Amino acid sequence: MLLSQLSAAASPLTQEQVQKLQGLVAELNPIQQAWVSGYLAANANSAALAGGAGTQAAAVEAAPLTILYGSQTGNAKAVASQLKAQAESRGLSVKLVNMADYKTSALKKEKFLAIAVSTYGEGEPPEDAEALHAFLASKKAPKLEGVKVAVIGLGDTSYEFFCQTAKDFEQRLTNLGADVVYQRAELDVDYEELATQWIAGALDVFEPELKSQQDAATNVVSMPSAVASASSQYTKQNPFAAELSVVQKITGRDSTKDVRHVEISLDGSDIRYLPGDSLGVYFLNDEALVDEVLELLAIADDTKVTVAGESIAVRDALIEKLELTQSYPGFVEKYSQATNNAQLQALVEDKAALREYIEARQIFDVIKQNPAAIDAQSLVDCCRKLQARLYSIASSQTEVEDEVHLTVGLVEFDAFGEKHFGGCSGYLANRAQEGAKVKVFSEHNDNFRLPANDDTPVIMVGPGTGIAPFRAFLQERDAREAAGENWLFFGNPHFTQDFLYQVEIQGYVKSGLLSKVDLAFSRDQAEKIYVQDRLREKGAEVFAWLEKGAHFYVCGDATRMAKDVHQALIDIIKAHGGKDDEQAEQYLKDLRSQNRYQKDVY
């Protein structure tokens, strides 16, 4: 029987289990599916042979090291997976769980707990960590005396509340009585080496007691090791050199925005992605600005420097290897010390003033405004490794096959008498030629997925470049001939200049794939209208869709839009569901726990 034909009536599984199974199988290739089939059959046979002994064995089984992760872009998940692999290589029993899937009732049974969590926005937890983060601060959280805990946090020092979520988790677990057995790590964007060191140190602390209780346990039926995942060989550490096929401006000549539709060929790679995933793109810094900096600092462009153990000309290092656009406090601190700049050193001591200073400047600006006698290696040592930029994928691989599409808004602003551009968006829009090689990798996002059941209705709110993943959703549902209704809310300043993918959207309306479209062009009338206003206007119908099982998605700006949309939903649920503030918030929390309210915000 095909999975698409399964139903609660025809299967011993619940409808929720069927949907989860369908979602998992959709992500597996044929080899992985065959392995899972064999594993399940073998596991069932083992259980049958064990008879009643299995129950007894479970009762005395040693407590595992439970690894919980909350990840916005996939980095914390990768660290958690690395921790799991290293623990298993030492023969330790491990359980790896996404915080979104973790049953809080299991907390009181834990003995060994490792937390890997990222922070985004204004010190906020990632989407999949929100519920557990809130639970640990609530009166329902259990006492955790004797639980051994270690926390690793990932963040970005260019943001004020660096690794705040990791600090929150450790503090809340401590308040509940847990013992922190290894020092918390707070890792910046260039985290790989330090994460490896932290993992080794944390396992050195956990291992003796875990081994001791495992040795004492009897009749434990061990889980067979999973085969290595058939994921792509191309990763953040080993990106694929893809061909840039198309860079096309899709906003009008008179638009206040410059948005590019980008197509990249994945031909020759094994990169696979799903709607909702992101693409990591490495870029080259502006050669003209690099040359200007080297001239100001009187550094010869062919001077050899060492970057991550590699000997390379300083000019090449600054173009290819190091971050020179996105400012962060660490650079100013190191540069002020290396150049003995008293003014910058005073800024470093005043965190608020430092934040204000770097907000207006790229690293190029800091150097150009503070030239000094500094040698090439010292300059390089002030900089951190260039980080790939992540973009929500705007295509379904079912539709475009060996391609991946992006919707890239060009970051540009005037400062200090010069035009400034974002690192990656400036490279793609202004400097990279079609046919150029661009290093890329896919970043999976299991927290932003279409429903497994194709009959499920979806509501998509994606103003501006937030339309990107919903273009992928629509392509995928079209290819799958999904019967579920689709409702899109899109907004931008002007209809004539900023209606991204207008022809495609109108085509989906004509074909019937898009059941409803509501548009909010904010500057086309005296009173500004945004997507949250359109949601309120259609509040009764939005609530009716939610009541019949619709999934609700938001993509775009986290600072204002996503919060305004959230408040609009609260207002809709109160007005049309007869609920108060607390009940409306709980309604949305329930949607999140069912993976029916998902956000991809930045």
Side-chain angles (χ1 to χ4, degrees):
M1 178 180 288
L2 296 174
L3 277 173
S4 59
Q5 297 172 318
L6 284 173
S7 67
S11 166
L13 304 178
T14 66
Q15 185 61 36
E16 182 182 4
Q17 288 172 325
V18 169
Q19 291 183 9
K20 287 183 177 180
L21 183 58
Q22 289 171 328
L24 171 62
V25 171
E27 298 181 24
L28 302 179
N29 61 36
I31 294 174
Q32 291 172 313
Q33 291 179 18
W35 181 89
V36 169
S37 176
Y39 165 71
L40 290 175
N43 200 48
N45 287 339
S46 297
L49 289 170
T55 305
Q56 182 181 3
V60 296
E61 185 175 355
L65 170 62
T66 298
I67 305 170
L68 301 179
Y69 68 88
S71 189
Q72 193 70 23
T73 63
N75 290 339
K77 179 182 178 181
V79 169
S81 298
Q82 183 183 352
L83 175 57
K84 176 179 182 287
Q86 289 298 312
E88 288 178 333
S89 73
R90 298 185 183 209
L92 304 178
S93 175
V94 188
K95 181 171 63 176
L96 177 67
V97 188
N98 185 325
M99 290 181 182
D101 299 326
Y102 185 68
K103 304 298 184 186
T104 53
S105 58
L107 260 178
K108 56 181 175 288
K109 302 175 186 176
E110 302 291 0
K111 292 185 179 179
F112 308 96
L113 193 60
I115 302 288
V117 67
S118 62
T119 298
Y120 86 103
E122 301 300 314
E124 298 165 9
E127 184 82 6
D128 52 4
E130 284 182 355
L132 183 60
H133 185 263
F135 177 79
L136 289 175
S138 72
K139 294 179 180 179
K140 295 181 179 180
K143 295 297 182 184
L144 299 177
E145 282 88 355
V147 178
K148 306 293 193 296
V149 172
V151 177
I152 181 169
L154 285 82
D156 184 340
T157 52
S158 61
Y159 290 92
E160 181 175 359
F161 299 99
F162 175 62
C163 284
Q164 184 61 47
T165 305
K167 298 173 187 176
D168 290 348
F169 269 103
E170 185 176 275
Q171 184 60 57
R172 292 177 186 186
L173 290 167
T174 302
N175 291 346
L176 295 169
D179 298 323
V180 176
V181 296
Y182 194 64
Q183 183 176 358
R184 181 181 70 247
E186 298 175 11
L187 306 186
D188 203 356
V189 291
D190 190 8
Y191 64 85
E192 287 89 351
E193 183 178 346
L194 291 175
T196 299
Q197 294 173 9
W198 183 91
I199 286 170
L203 289 177
D204 285 345
V205 173
F206 279 123
E207 184 173 1
E209 194 168 348
L210 276 164
K211 278 276 183 72
S212 176
Q213 65 147 22
Q214 285 177 202
D215 292 342
T218 57
N219 297 324
V220 177
V221 179
S222 61
M223 189 90 155
S225 298
V227 294
S229 171
S231 56
S232 172
Q233 63 180 301
Y234 298 107
T235 63
K236 181 178 181 180
Q237 291 74 35
N238 179 40
F240 174 68
E243 182 177 312
L244 185 63
S245 305
V246 173
V247 180
Q248 178 184 5
K249 187 177 180 183
I250 55 174
T251 43
R253 180 187 303 173
D254 298 325
S255 174
T256 56
K257 298 184 176 185
D258 186 336
V259 178
R260 306 296 176 101
H261 172 73
V262 176
E263 297 183 7
I264 296 172
S265 172
L266 299 177
D267 187 34
S269 80
D270 59 353
I271 293 176
R272 308 298 300 170
Y273 62 86
L274 293 170
D277 288 343
S278 298
L279 190 77
V281 182
Y282 286 102
F283 60 96
L284 302 178
N285 286 312
D286 190 330
E287 294 183 19
L289 291 175
V290 168
D291 290 338
E292 184 180 351
V293 162
L294 290 173
E295 185 177 354
L296 271 173
L297 301 180
I299 295 174
D301 59 11
D302 59 354
T303 305
K304 291 293 183 179
V305 294
T306 301
V307 179
E310 176 188 359
S311 179
I312 185 174
V314 65
R315 183 177 187 270
D316 293 336
L318 294 175
I319 292 171
E320 302 171 13
K321 305 286 187 181
L322 302 171
E323 185 64 67
L324 293 174
T325 48
Q326 187 180 57
S327 293
Y328 56 98
F331 175 81
V332 179
E333 181 178 357
K334 290 179 180 179
Y335 188 76
S336 69
Q337 293 171 353
T339 59
N340 198 27
N341 185 310
Q343 185 177 1
L344 290 180
Q345 288 172 350
L347 268 177
V348 170
E349 297 301 317
D350 185 340
K351 289 187 177 181
L354 179 58
R355 288 285 170 192
E356 184 177 349
Y357 178 81
I358 64 175
E359 186 175 354
R361 291 168 173 81
Q362 294 182 332
I363 290 175
F364 280 121
D365 295 315
V366 177
I367 298 172
K368 289 195 293 183
Q369 293 171 15
N370 298 277
I374 184 173
D375 64 84
Q377 188 63 54
S378 296
L379 174 63
V380 165
D381 291 343
C382 290
C383 301
R384 71 184 181 190
K385 181 181 174 183
L386 186 145
Q387 296 298 306
R389 303 303 195 252
L390 289 176
Y391 293 99
S392 300
I393 291 175
S395 57
S396 162
Q397 203 160 20
T398 308
E399 172 77 18
V400 302
E401 298 182 340
D402 288 334
E403 290 183 4
V404 61
H405 299 175
L406 307 176
T407 310
V408 179
L410 175 64
V411 176
E412 56 181 325
F413 59 96
D414 292 313
F416 315 113
E418 294 180 342
K419 178 73 73 175
H420 288 60
F421 296 98
C424 194
S425 65
Y427 172 68
L428 291 173
N430 298 334
R431 302 192 302 278
Q433 300 296 314
E434 291 183 359
K437 294 294 185 180
V438 181
K439 293 180 179 179
V440 302
F441 60 94
S442 62
E443 193 74 75
H444 296 296
N445 183 3
D446 293 331
N447 302 314
F448 202 75
R449 287 281 184 255
L450 277 167
N453 186 342
D454 283 345
D455 293 335
T456 304
V458 300
I459 302 173
M460 301 165 283
V461 181
T465 56
I467 189 68
F470 302 133
R471 181 176 184 263
F473 278 20
L474 290 168
Q475 286 185 358
E476 179 74 9
R477 289 204 123 188
D478 191 32
R480 281 158 50 172
E481 298 182 353
E485 296 177 290
N486 303 292
W487 188 352
L488 175 67
F489 287 82
F490 173 75
N492 238 348
H494 297 286
F495 174 85
T496 57
Q497 303 294 318
D498 306 303
F499 194 167
L500 308 182
Y501 302 113
Q502 178 181 355
V503 174
E504 292 181 22
I505 290 171
Q506 289 173 333
Y508 286 138
V509 171
K510 186 175 181 180
S511 72
L513 180 73
L514 259 176
S515 314
K516 297 178 69 66
V517 176
D518 279 274
L519 305 171
F521 292 102
S522 57
R523 271 66 168 183
D524 279 350
Q525 59 283 311
E527 183 181 355
K528 293 178 182 177
I529 297 175
Y530 299 102
V531 286
Q532 59 266 27
D533 301 314
R534 295 300 189 208
L535 281 166
R536 286 191 176 91
E537 288 173 7
K538 301 296 176 70
E541 195 168 0
V542 168
F543 185 72
W545 275 48
L546 294 176
E547 285 290 279
K548 69 180 181 182
H551 286 217
F552 191 96
Y553 301 89
V554 184
C555 182
D557 169 53
T559 306
R560 295 190 59 182
M561 183 277 297
K563 293 178 180 178
D564 290 340
V565 167
H566 183 90
Q567 186 57 53
L569 278 176
I570 292 292
D571 295 342
I572 288 168
I573 294 163
K574 286 167 59 180
H576 303 285
K579 302 181 186 301
D580 59 25
D581 284 325
E582 184 176 350
Q583 291 169 331
E585 285 286 3
Q586 187 59 50
Y587 187 96
L588 287 184
K589 286 179 181 177
D590 292 341
L591 289 185
R592 275 200 297 268
S593 68
Q594 299 163 25
N595 294 321
R596 290 179 51 209
Y597 178 24
Q598 300 181 34
K599 292 183 281 189
D600 177 12
V601 295
Y602 39 83

